[in-house]
Amino acid sequence: MGRNLYILAATLGALSLLSIVLSFTNVAQQPGSPGDASLWRMTSIALLCVALIVTLLGVLSSLFEQAERRHSIDRQQKRRRRSE
């Protein structure tokens, strides 16, 4: 699950980068384009914050999975020692 969260965070980060680039170009001033430069910057900041939160969740998920694996390995080793 951690890997999926990393992929989601990378996608959101790329969209955030695209939004910030669009805010500095003249695309925001073209007729028919959505909003102005401040809207693109706000969108970029919001996407970046969500990407950072998803990254944190991915890291925590990976840490808990690793701790669970180590706990199960230790439990199996203790069972083997008792049976010998």
Side-chain angles (χ1 to χ4, degrees):
M1 180 167 162
R3 192 177 310 145
N4 292 338
L5 290 173
Y6 290 144
I7 293 169
L8 177 62
T11 303
L12 291 172
L15 290 174
S16 172
L17 185 63
L18 179 67
S19 294
I20 199 71
V21 167
L22 284 174
S23 74
F24 289 112
T25 61
N26 287 333
V27 172
Q29 284 80 28
Q30 297 296 323
S33 69
D36 55 347
S38 64
L39 177 67
W40 286 107
R41 288 186 188 120
M42 188 64 204
T43 302
S44 175
I45 291 170
L47 285 172
L48 182 63
C49 290
V50 172
L52 290 174
I53 291 170
V54 170
T55 303
L56 178 64
L57 292 175
V59 168
L60 291 175
S61 173
S62 296
L63 287 175
F64 284 124
E65 287 174 2
Q66 182 181 9
E68 188 176 319
R69 277 194 309 267
R70 287 186 179 182
H71 180 66
S72 67
I73 289 171
D74 289 343
R75 190 172 38 200
Q76 288 174 357
Q77 288 176 353
K78 285 181 183 177
R79 286 181 186 168
R80 288 181 189 158
R81 289 179 191 158
R82 288 180 188 168
S83 64
E84 290 178 352

